[in-house]
Amino acid sequence: KRQYAETAPYEPYLRGKPVEDVAVYLSSDSKMTFLENGQPLAALRDEQVTNRFPHMAAVRGACRVLQEAHVPFGIITRKQLTSLNDYQVVVLPNALRMDKAEARAFLEYVRQGGRLYASRYTSLTETCGVRHKDFMLADAFGCHFAGDDIGEVAYMLPAEAAIAAAVSPQEYLSLFPQMTPFHPAEPE
């Protein structure tokens, strides 16, 4: 009580709005994994449930990268869909399921000059379970869904000379998904 008494006179001035350039979208509807799709609840015992929700891993990864880069960011939910223009960039980290109202809000945000960063399956499946042949946000992304990459290793060829020089003498970069923080190695 004594400690807070010193700061009490300043409480009326504790207003304002956080200054955040980037918003990371947290989707309650995406707190799931398609790996458990079609499995009876009885088969999903506590020890067998993965609890590795790809969206949540992607949210944590995006936040970690933004923190390390000292970029001011905040977490938003569908409650902030009407105020997307407050942000320079909105990150959609593997938002596995999205409804049409969310897709419309993000499309409108881009039409008004906003920028999206989206990863993996963002906007491919609706919250009602309908999986589309293409992203609902394909127009905003400027790309289309071509198929799943079910391989264990991905190879990348740098397109920028500076990146190619940085990884030289390697020509290609490889990524082992099971070794990344998003897909921790299975315990032995």
Side-chain angles (χ1 to χ4, degrees), residues 22 27 48 62 80 86 89 101-102 110 119 136 146 152 159 162 168 178:
V22 177
S27 167
Q48 294 173 332
Q80 286 81 27
D86 292 348
V89 177
E102 288 170 296
V110 170
S119 61
M136 291 187 284
E152 288 295 317
S168 182
Q178 69 274 18

Side-chain angles (χ1 to χ4, degrees), residues 25 27-30 78-79 81 92 95-107 122-130 132 135-137:
Y25 191 66
S27 167
S28 294
D29 291 322
S30 293
R78 68 180 303 119
K79 289 181 181 179
L81 287 178
L92 302 174
L96 297 175
R97 299 188 305 172
M98 181 177 291
D99 66 27
K100 290 180 181 180
E102 288 170 296
R104 277 192 305 273
F106 292 121
L107 283 170
T122 295
S123 82
L124 193 60
T125 304
E126 286 187 56
T127 54
C128 64
V130 173
H132 295 271
F135 302 110
M136 291 187 284
L137 297 174

Side-chain angles (χ1 to χ4, degrees), residues 16-183:
K17 184 176 175 186
V19 178
E20 303 162 339
D21 297 328
V22 177
V24 177
Y25 191 66
L26 178 64
S27 167
S28 294
D29 291 322
S30 293
K31 290 181 184 176
M32 48 78 68
T33 176
F34 291 125
L35 295 175
E36 295 171 356
N37 189 27
Q39 298 217 13
L41 287 176
L44 296 174
R45 305 243 186 268
D46 289 340
E47 66 274 3
Q48 294 173 332
V49 175
T50 63
N51 273 339
R52 290 191 206 156
F53 302 143
H55 172 63
M56 296 307 295
V59 167
R60 285 190 301 274
C63 291
R64 180 182 47 79
V65 168
L66 291 166
Q67 284 175 331
E68 289 172 358
H70 304 287
V71 174
F73 74 94
I75 303 291
I76 63 170
T77 65
R78 68 180 303 119
K79 289 181 181 179
Q80 286 81 27
L81 287 178
T82 58
S83 58
L84 294 175
N85 289 327
D86 292 348
Y87 304 96
Q88 293 180 29
V89 177
V90 174
V91 177
L92 302 174
N94 200 11
L96 297 175
R97 299 188 305 172
M98 181 177 291
D99 66 27
K100 290 180 181 180
E102 288 170 296
R104 277 192 305 273
F106 292 121
L107 283 170
E108 185 58 30
Y109 167 70
V110 170
R111 283 189 197 107
Q112 293 179 11
R115 295 175 201 94
L116 288 179
Y117 169 84
S119 61
R120 194 84 190 216
Y121 295 117
T122 295
S123 82
L124 193 60
T125 304
E126 286 187 56
T127 54
C128 64
V130 173
R131 182 170 170 160
H132 295 271
K133 292 183 186 208
D134 201 1
F135 302 110
M136 291 187 284
L137 297 174
D139 292 342
F141 299 158
C143 67
H144 301 278
F145 183 73
D148 291 320
D149 175 13
I150 57 172
E152 288 295 317
V153 181
Y155 294 96
M156 299 177 283
L157 178 63
E160 299 288 327
I163 304 284
V167 299
S168 182
Q170 290 184 166
E171 188 174 342
Y172 292 90
L173 297 174
S174 61
L175 173 70
F176 296 89
Q178 69 274 18
M179 304 293 282
T180 68
F182 306 112
H183 303 280

